[in-house]
Coordinates of all heavy atoms in Angstrom, one line a residue:
G109 N -22.9 6.3 -7.9 CA -23.2 6.1 -9.3 C -22.1 6.6 -10.2 O -22.3 7.1 -11.3
S110 N -20.9 6.2 -9.8 CA -19.7 6.7 -10.5 C -18.8 5.6 -10.9 O -19.3 4.4 -10.9 CB -19.0 7.7 -9.5 OG -17.8 8.1 -10.0
G111 N -17.6 5.9 -11.3 CA -16.7 4.8 -11.7 C -15.5 4.7 -10.8 O -15.2 5.6 -10.0
V112 N -14.9 3.5 -10.7 CA -13.8 3.3 -9.8 C -12.5 2.8 -10.6 O -12.7 2.0 -11.5 CB -14.1 2.3 -8.7 CG1 -14.5 0.9 -9.2 CG2 -13.0 2.2 -7.7
I113 N -11.4 3.3 -10.2 CA -10.1 2.8 -10.7 C -9.3 2.3 -9.5 O -9.1 3.0 -8.6 CB -9.4 3.9 -11.5 CG1 -10.1 4.3 -12.7 CG2 -7.9 3.5 -11.8 CD1 -9.6 5.5 -13.4
T114 N -8.8 1.0 -9.6 CA -8.1 0.5 -8.5 C -6.6 0.3 -8.9 O -6.3 0.2 -10.1 CB -8.6 -0.8 -8.0 OG1 -8.7 -1.8 -9.1 CG2 -10.0 -0.7 -7.4
D115 N -5.8 0.2 -7.9 CA -4.3 -0.1 -8.1 C -3.6 0.9 -9.0 O -2.8 0.5 -9.8 CB -4.1 -1.5 -8.6 CG -4.4 -2.6 -7.6 OD1 -4.2 -2.3 -6.4 OD2 -4.9 -3.7 -7.9
A116 N -4.0 2.2 -8.9 CA -3.3 3.2 -9.7 C -1.9 3.4 -9.1 O -1.7 3.4 -7.9 CB -4.1 4.5 -9.6
T117 N -0.9 3.4 -10.1 CA 0.4 3.7 -9.6 C 0.8 5.1 -9.8 O 1.9 5.5 -9.4 CB 1.4 2.8 -10.4 OG1 1.2 3.0 -11.8 CG2 1.2 1.3 -10.1
D118 N 0.0 5.9 -10.4 CA 0.2 7.3 -10.5 C -1.2 8.0 -10.9 O -2.0 7.4 -11.4 CB 1.2 7.6 -11.6 CG 1.8 9.0 -11.5 OD1 1.6 9.6 -10.4 OD2 2.5 9.5 -12.4
V119 N -1.3 9.2 -10.4 CA -2.5 10.0 -10.8 C -2.0 11.4 -11.2 O -1.3 12.1 -10.4 CB -3.4 10.1 -9.5 CG1 -4.7 10.8 -9.9 CG2 -3.7 8.8 -8.9
A120 N -2.4 11.8 -12.4 CA -2.0 13.1 -12.9 C -3.0 14.2 -12.4 O -4.0 13.9 -11.9 CB -2.0 13.1 -14.4
A121 N -2.6 15.5 -12.7 CA -3.4 16.6 -12.3 C -4.8 16.6 -12.8 O -5.7 17.1 -12.2 CB -2.7 17.9 -12.7
D122 N -5.0 16.0 -14.0 CA -6.3 15.9 -14.6 C -7.0 14.6 -14.2 O -8.0 14.2 -14.8 CB -6.3 16.0 -16.1 CG -5.6 14.9 -16.8 OD1 -5.0 14.0 -16.0 OD2 -5.6 14.8 -18.0
L123 N -6.5 13.9 -13.2 CA -7.0 12.7 -12.6 C -6.9 11.5 -13.6 O -7.6 10.5 -13.5 CB -8.5 12.9 -12.1 CG -8.7 13.9 -11.0 CD1 -10.1 14.1 -10.7 CD2 -7.9 13.4 -9.7
T124 N -6.1 11.6 -14.6 CA -5.7 10.4 -15.4 C -4.8 9.5 -14.6 O -3.8 10.0 -14.0 CB -5.0 10.8 -16.7 OG1 -5.9 11.7 -17.4 CG2 -4.7 9.6 -17.6
T125 N -5.2 8.3 -14.5 CA -4.4 7.3 -13.7 C -3.6 6.4 -14.5 O -3.9 6.2 -15.7 CB -5.3 6.4 -12.8 OG1 -6.1 5.6 -13.7 CG2 -6.2 7.3 -11.9
T126 N -2.5 5.9 -13.9 CA -1.7 4.9 -14.6 C -1.9 3.6 -13.8 O -1.8 3.6 -12.6 CB -0.2 5.3 -14.5 OG1 -0.1 6.6 -15.1 CG2 0.7 4.3 -15.3
Q127 N -2.1 2.5 -14.6 CA -2.2 1.2 -14.0 C -1.3 0.2 -14.7 O -1.1 0.4 -16.0 CB -3.6 0.6 -14.0 CG -4.6 1.3 -13.2 CD -6.0 0.8 -13.6 OE1 -6.4 1.2 -14.8 NE2 -6.7 0.0 -12.9
S128 N -0.8 -0.8 -14.0 CA 0.0 -1.8 -14.7 C -0.8 -3.1 -14.6 O -1.2 -3.5 -13.5 CB 1.3 -1.9 -13.9 OG 2.1 -3.0 -14.4
V129 N -1.1 -3.7 -15.8 CA -2.0 -4.9 -15.8 C -1.3 -6.1 -16.5 O -0.3 -6.0 -17.2 CB -3.3 -4.6 -16.4 CG1 -4.0 -3.4 -15.7 CG2 -3.1 -4.2 -17.9
F130 N -2.0 -7.2 -16.4 CA -1.5 -8.5 -17.0 C 0.0 -8.7 -16.7 O 0.8 -8.9 -17.6 CB -1.7 -8.5 -18.5 CG -3.2 -8.5 -18.9 CD1 -3.6 -7.7 -19.9 CD2 -4.1 -9.3 -18.2 CE1 -5.0 -7.7 -20.3 CE2 -5.4 -9.3 -18.5 CZ -5.9 -8.5 -19.6
A131 N 0.2 -8.8 -15.4 CA 1.6 -9.0 -14.9 C 2.6 -8.1 -15.5 O 3.7 -8.5 -15.8 CB 2.0 -10.5 -15.1
G132 N 2.2 -6.9 -15.7 CA 3.2 -5.9 -16.2 C 3.2 -5.8 -17.8 O 4.0 -5.1 -18.3
G133 N 2.4 -6.6 -18.4 CA 2.4 -6.7 -19.9 C 1.9 -5.4 -20.5 O 2.4 -5.0 -21.6

Side-chain angles (χ1 to χ4, degrees):
S110 175
V112 61
I113 292 172
T114 58
D115 288 327
T117 54
D118 199 13
V119 185
D122 66 352
L123 297 174
T124 301
T125 64
T126 305
Q127 290 166 292
S128 175
V129 300
F130 294 138

